[in-house]
Amino acid sequence: MSGQELSPEEQQERWLEEGKAVVKQQAFLMKRALDNSNLRDGLKYGSNMLCELRTGLLSPKNFYELYIMVADEMRHLEQYFFDEFKRGRRMVELYELVQHAGNIVPRLFLLISVGSVYVRSKEAPARDILKDLVEMCRGVQHPMRGLFLRSYLLQCARDKLPDVGSEFGEDVGDSVDFLMHNFAEMNKLWVRMQHQGPVRDRERREKERLDLRILVGTNLVRLSNLEGVDGPMYKALVLPRILEQVINCKDQIAQQYLMECIIQVFPDEFHLETLSDLLEATQQLQTAVDVKAILVALMRRLAAFATNDPSAIPADIDMLAVFHAHVSKLAESNLPLATFLDLQAELLKFSLGFAPNRLDVVDGLLAACGEALAAAQVTRLDGQAEQACVSLLTSPLHSNPNPLTILDLPHYAGLIGYLALDSRKEVAVLLTRLMRKTGTTLSEAAHMDSLLSFIQPLVKDAVEDEGQTPDEDDEDFEAEQGCVASLIHAVSNPDPAALFQVYFVARKHFGQGGSKRIKYTLPALVFRSLQLAVMLKEREQQEEEAPVSSKKVFAFALDTIKGLAGSEPALALRLFLQGAQAANRSREDKIAYEFVSQAFILYEDDISDSKEQMELVQVSCATLCTLDKLEPEDYDTLITNTTKHAARLLKKPDQCRAVCLCSHLFWNAGVKYDDERSFHDGKRVLDCLQRALKIADVCMQSGMNVSLFIEILNRYIFYFEARNDKITIKYLQGLLDLVKEHLSAMDASPEADAVRAHYKATVAHVRRMQAEAGDTRFDEL
């Protein structure tokens, strides 16, 4: 296949394989010649191998792979040079010998290899040899070949640099000069790559440059590893020279990478000493450089350092003030609003990272953002600016154990108005969840008012001002409203009047929530207000002075439930019954009667679903059985009404069971007359059971009437045991005979088996009662 038919990737692969084959062959010949002590042939084959690095065909990635293979083979040649030195050969001779190689690229690679051993031999000062080598490398000005040549020099010299305690000299200034010279030349070569070739290949060249950036950055890594470079030297000698190269290259890619490299490789203590210099340098970079990313990297690193070791921060360095002043300067230079907000968000995180209690700083940053937004005359943020504003609002909440402390900051709440609805909800949900997680309590009406105003997107069911209501997931919506409702349970204050005022403010806000929201938020308010009313009544009964009357709180709860009745009648009815139980516990019989009356009105007007009606009749019966503080006359009125509702249910089986259940309302030992007699009306009990029997008799479902008969039989047995004189043995016997007759006519089926099992359990109970001594009433059965 011809080269023209190959894709660019395939052509690269082919060239790389060809180069590797030549390197492998020439390396084999070189090592064989060296094993035979034939230095001339060894250098010839080594030079042939190094000539493969003269290619201009390979991409940086493939060239690097070829370079690694060559550098690995060069270790054998360097070891041979060192063996020659140990055999007594002077390195200066070899140093001059390899300079006779024909091509400059092989010549300089060989020279560096000999120079490495030359330094180790100590025949000449390391400073002079390194200086000579770094100057000689100027001979290769092709960007990619020059970069890899100088990278090889750096690799060979890494353990031979003069430094404190080094055998090659202790003047660290020599190493700094060598590394800075090499760094400056490599940076120039790297930048020059951008301007070679046609404009259409610019994107490809930028990618290739980024692939090679680590070669340039390695110089800075070597500088940071020098033991002799201390803070004063770094500030006076090293950093100024680095920044000079960075600024003067006037290349966006180089400036971006090298500034980030400076931040990453040098110690935090050095950055603290030179913070102003670093920040000033960012103002001299090209406009395309992402200054924000550089500042963020620096802030995050210093914040982590300050958090881990606060004592290491010098007292005379106020990092917050320095960064704040710098960001303010940037803002004056027509910085885009999104970038400014991003920087302020990062500065806020930086501040909270090691000084979470400096709320004055937090509020100052928020104030600056508010001023910038007002000056820009924006009403709604989007994109990056919106994300930054969300970060400004959420970061302080995460760092403070009491989110309400943040909410009280003068310039905090105003920023949420610039966000779109979804983002406002995001912040609001976070605030409520953090309050629940941290156990934060609400004690003042003002706190509740400011909190609910801030989380208004969760509280108020209103159309967004853009004219659209966002789509909401039902599960997410329920979770959000659960968070809002939980705020009521966070209210705590020993003063009942203050507590009641908090509830009053909460209802004012919740009442604006619309039918979709109040079913989640108002029930919590009802339960807490009923709890408060019961507590106040206990104080009144102990003749303690109460700042607010229990009746007023009961009335508040009643009104709150009425507000829910229009949209959620079934829920409101259940809450009315809860209110009745609370009033009953407080011996407020008239209030309890009012709650039940409201429940019945709601039932008659708004409950039409038959299943719901059955459930609510059952709940009403259960509630009325517990209301033992009602006057017998009032109680009689309520239970009579309940029985009527039971008899009007749509489905006959429901009617039968409900009327049966109502019979218990007329046999309630808890309700007392003035003479302490219990409310036992045996005749009306019998009326309920007889009516239930008639209803059961007309049930046409197969097997259903038999099951109902057995349930009614059990009620008869219960009242017979309770000594209701209206329930006689003849009723029990008649029902037993009736059930037996129906059972004998039932076909075999799982339902029939269940009915028979129920009947057998009933008969077994009767037999146990017959067997008990002292009660002969069951003997006639």
Side-chain angles (χ1 to χ4, degrees):
M1 185 182 290
S2 65
Q4 286 75 10
E5 296 173 341
L6 296 176
S7 68
E9 293 78 12
E10 291 171 332
Q11 187 65 65
Q12 281 287 318
E13 190 66 28
R14 178 178 174 181
W15 286 330
L16 177 61
E17 291 304 319
E18 290 175 354
K20 281 183 173 181
V22 173
V23 169
K24 187 174 181 181
Q25 179 190 34
Q26 296 300 318
F28 171 77
L29 296 173
M30 178 189 74
K31 285 185 276 190
R32 187 173 67 177
L34 295 177
D35 290 342
N36 294 327
S37 300
N38 187 342
L39 178 59
R40 185 174 295 276
D41 284 351
L43 291 176
K44 180 181 75 173
Y45 294 129
S47 180
N48 291 341
M49 175 183 72
L50 289 163
C51 278
E52 290 303 307
L53 295 179
R54 297 176 60 212
T55 180
L57 300 174
L58 295 176
S59 66
K61 179 182 176 182
N62 289 333
F63 191 94
Y64 177 74
E65 190 173 338
L66 185 65
Y67 162 78
I68 290 297
M69 187 176 180
V70 171
D72 190 52
E73 299 294 349
M74 288 295 289
R75 287 186 298 150
H76 298 282
L77 185 59
E78 184 177 340
Q79 184 60 41
Y80 178 82
F81 291 150
F82 188 68
D83 293 340
E84 286 289 288
F85 162 69
K86 289 195 292 185
R87 286 193 285 267
R89 188 159 187 171
R90 296 183 65 217
M91 284 297 101
V92 66
E93 297 175 2
L94 286 175
Y95 195 67
E96 294 175 356
L97 177 64
V98 296
Q99 296 189 42
H100 293 92
N103 291 305
I104 190 167
V105 171
R107 182 194 315 156
L108 291 176
F109 272 96
L110 290 171
L111 188 66
I112 291 169
S113 297
V114 177
S116 174
V117 180
Y118 196 5
V119 173
R120 292 170 66 186
S121 71
K122 301 178 184 175
E123 290 181 10
R127 175 194 60 199
D128 297 341
I129 300 170
L130 292 173
K131 183 178 180 181
D132 186 51
L133 290 173
V134 79
E135 289 288 350
M136 294 284 277
C137 286
R138 285 178 181 268
V140 177
Q141 288 298 310
H142 183 278
M144 190 158 65
R145 292 198 286 267
L147 279 172
F148 279 97
L149 174 66
R150 289 185 175 275
S151 177
Y152 184 67
L153 170 62
L154 200 59
Q155 176 186 336
C156 291
R158 69 182 183 278
D159 55 349
K160 304 172 185 67
L161 297 173
D163 197 3
V164 175
S166 171
E167 59 180 304
F168 305 109
E170 296 200 3
D171 188 352
V172 73
D174 296 335
S175 294
V176 171
D177 290 341
F178 165 74
L179 291 169
M180 285 305 307
H181 190 166
N182 198 53
F183 166 68
E185 293 298 325
M186 289 184 78
N187 192 38
K188 291 174 184 175
L189 293 169
W190 188 43
V191 171
R192 200 185 306 157
M193 287 182 69
Q194 184 71 27
H195 308 293
Q196 291 189 335
V199 175
R200 65 176 180 272
D201 294 336
R202 179 175 181 174
E203 186 175 339
R204 177 181 59 81
R205 288 198 304 273
E206 288 181 354
K207 183 179 182 302
E208 290 177 350
R209 285 191 63 201
L210 291 173
D211 290 340
L212 297 175
R213 65 186 183 274
I214 192 171
L215 300 180
V216 184
T218 305
N219 291 279
L220 302 184
V221 175
R222 297 284 177 264
L223 274 168
S224 69
N225 291 338
L226 293 173
E227 295 289 338
V229 175
D230 54 14
M233 175 179 277
Y234 175 78
K235 183 174 184 178
L237 183 63
V238 177
L239 183 63
R241 294 173 69 178
I242 296 175
L243 292 178
E244 181 184 5
Q245 290 296 327
V246 172
I247 294 168
N248 290 341
C249 73
K250 300 188 182 304
D251 178 79
Q252 179 255 328
I253 294 177
Q255 290 181 340
Q256 186 81 51
Y257 169 68
L258 293 174
M259 289 299 292
E260 292 175 357
C261 194
I262 292 170
I263 293 167
Q264 295 301 323
V265 303
F266 288 103
D268 299 306
E269 294 86 352
F270 289 7
H271 294 324
L272 285 173
E273 294 293 335
T274 58
L275 187 55
S276 297
D277 298 332
L278 267 177
L279 295 177
E280 186 177 339
T282 60
Q283 297 180 349
Q284 303 176 54
L285 302 178
Q286 298 296 297
T287 54
V289 174
D290 187 359
V291 176
K292 182 197 72 176
I294 296 170
L295 294 177
V296 167
L298 183 57
M299 282 190 281
R300 287 180 178 175
R301 173 143 191 190
L302 291 179
F305 176 66
T307 303
N308 293 333
D309 187 8
S311 61
I313 308 299
D316 59 334
I317 297 179
D318 187 348
M319 292 190 294
L320 287 174
V322 174
F323 273 112
H324 193 276
H326 182 69
V327 172
S328 300
K329 277 186 182 178
L330 288 176
E332 296 171 1
S333 59
N334 295 323
L335 199 66
L337 180 63
T339 305
F340 173 76
L341 292 176
D342 249 345
L343 279 174
Q344 293 287 16
E346 289 298 331
L347 191 54
L348 183 63
K349 291 178 185 176
F350 174 65
S351 167
L352 295 170
F354 64 92
N357 297 323
R358 289 286 304 274
L359 296 182
D360 58 321
V361 175
V362 173
D363 194 54
L365 293 171
L366 296 173
C369 293
E371 291 171 4
L373 290 167
Q377 296 183 342
V378 295
T379 55
R380 283 285 183 271
L381 296 172
D382 55 18
Q384 182 185 351
E386 184 179 20
Q387 293 174 7
C389 193
V390 169
S391 179
L392 282 163
L393 292 167
T394 56
S395 296
L397 296 177
H398 283 296
S399 66
N400 198 286
N402 184 352
L404 290 180
T405 306
I406 303 299
L407 194 58
D408 286 341
L409 294 177
H411 299 96
Y412 180 79
L415 289 182
I416 200 170
Y418 291 99
L419 301 179
L421 181 61
D422 286 342
S423 296
R424 278 185 272 163
K425 288 175 65 176
E426 178 187 344
V427 177
V429 169
L430 175 67
L431 175 57
T432 56
R433 287 178 176 165
L434 286 174
M435 285 190 62
R436 187 161 59 180
K437 181 179 178 180
T438 58
T440 303
T441 58
L442 287 158
S443 58
E444 301 293 337
H447 286 161
M448 179 62 82
D449 188 48
S450 62
L451 174 61
L452 294 179
S453 298
F454 184 77
I455 64 168
Q456 192 182 59
L458 303 182
V459 176
K460 189 175 181 180
D461 190 11
V463 176
E464 180 68 324
D465 48 6
E466 290 89 351
Q468 296 180 344
T469 302
D471 295 331
E472 290 177 313
D473 182 85
D474 287 342
E475 290 186 6
D476 291 342
F477 181 76
E478 286 185 17
E480 290 168 3
Q481 295 309 302
C483 289
V484 176
S486 69
L487 296 176
I488 295 299
H489 299 290
V491 176
S492 177
N493 193 314
D495 179 5
L499 202 59
F500 181 61
Q501 192 60 36
V502 175
Y503 294 156
F504 190 83
V505 169
R507 190 177 71 175
K508 182 184 73 172
H509 283 274
F510 290 165
Q512 303 173 27
S515 59
K516 191 177 179 181
R517 298 174 188 273
I518 58 175
K519 67 179 181 180
Y520 298 102
T521 53
L522 289 186
L525 186 58
V526 169
F527 279 104
R528 288 306 297 267
S529 57
L530 290 175
Q531 185 180 8
L532 175 61
V534 172
M535 183 266 288
L536 287 168
K537 185 60 180 180
E538 290 174 355
R539 287 193 179 185
E540 291 168 1
Q541 290 170 348
Q542 296 169 6
E543 297 184 356
E544 293 183 17
E545 184 178 350
V548 59
S549 71
S550 60
K551 290 183 179 181
K552 185 175 182 180
V553 181
F554 274 123
F556 172 84
L558 189 70
D559 289 342
T560 304
I561 300 172
K562 287 180 180 178
L564 188 60
S567 57
E568 294 291 331
L571 176 58
L573 192 151
R574 293 172 185 271
L575 291 173
F576 277 132
L577 296 178
Q578 290 285 344
Q581 288 183 308
N584 184 73
R585 287 197 300 275
S586 298
R587 300 180 180 275
E588 292 284 3
D589 59 302
K590 298 303 180 185
I591 295 177
Y593 183 87
E594 178 63 21
F595 272 108
V596 179
S597 298
Q598 291 297 327
F600 285 161
I601 292 171
L602 196 57
Y603 179 92
E604 293 164 0
D605 293 346
D606 295 302
I607 306 298
S608 57
D609 181 76
S610 60
K611 184 178 179 181
E612 222 170 40
Q613 284 179 337
M614 176 60 180
E615 291 177 357
L616 293 174
V617 166
Q618 290 174 320
V619 173
S620 299
C621 287
T623 302
L624 287 168
C625 284
T626 65
L627 302 184
D628 55 0
K629 301 300 185 292
L630 289 175
E631 290 291 332
E633 294 76 12
D634 292 339
Y635 177 75
D636 187 270
T637 302
L638 295 175
I639 64 176
T640 302
N641 209 357
T642 305
T643 308
K644 288 179 182 177
H645 291 315
R648 292 172 185 163
L649 292 172
L650 178 64
K651 298 178 181 178
K652 291 297 182 183
D654 288 348
Q655 276 186 27
C656 179
R657 291 191 171 101
V659 170
C660 252
L661 186 62
C662 287
S663 67
H664 291 277
L665 297 175
F666 298 98
W667 198 262
N668 190 344
V671 179
K672 304 288 187 182
Y673 291 95
D674 293 340
D675 57 3
E676 292 301 315
R677 284 183 300 113
S678 298
F679 191 92
H680 285 169
D681 191 337
K683 183 179 182 305
R684 294 172 77 179
V685 170
L686 179 60
D687 290 344
C688 286
L689 296 181
Q690 292 289 79
R691 185 167 188 173
L693 271 174
K694 291 179 183 178
I695 298 170
D697 196 44
V698 298
C699 285
M700 300 304 295
Q701 295 182 26
S702 175
M704 175 60 74
N705 56 344
V706 183
S707 177
L708 292 173
F709 286 146
I710 297 172
E711 292 178 24
I712 297 169
L713 172 60
N714 279 275
R715 305 281 182 183
Y716 269 100
I717 293 171
F718 168 78
Y719 290 115
F720 187 73
E721 290 179 21
R723 301 187 181 276
N724 183 341
D725 58 1
K726 302 299 181 182
I727 307 298
T728 62
I729 199 72
K730 71 174 184 177
Y731 291 115
L732 273 63
Q733 188 63 59
L735 260 178
L736 283 167
D737 294 340
L738 181 64
V739 172
K740 285 171 66 177
E741 178 186 343
H742 282 79
L743 283 175
S744 63
M746 288 183 70
D747 296 329
S749 67
E751 293 81 4
D753 292 342
V755 171
R756 288 190 177 95
H758 191 185
Y759 176 69
K760 286 180 181 178
T762 303
V763 172
H765 175 74
V766 172
R767 286 175 179 161
R768 282 195 300 273
M769 297 303 295
Q770 289 175 332
E772 285 185 5
D775 191 349
T776 60
R777 291 179 303 147
F778 284 90
D779 293 347
E780 297 179 27
L781 284 176

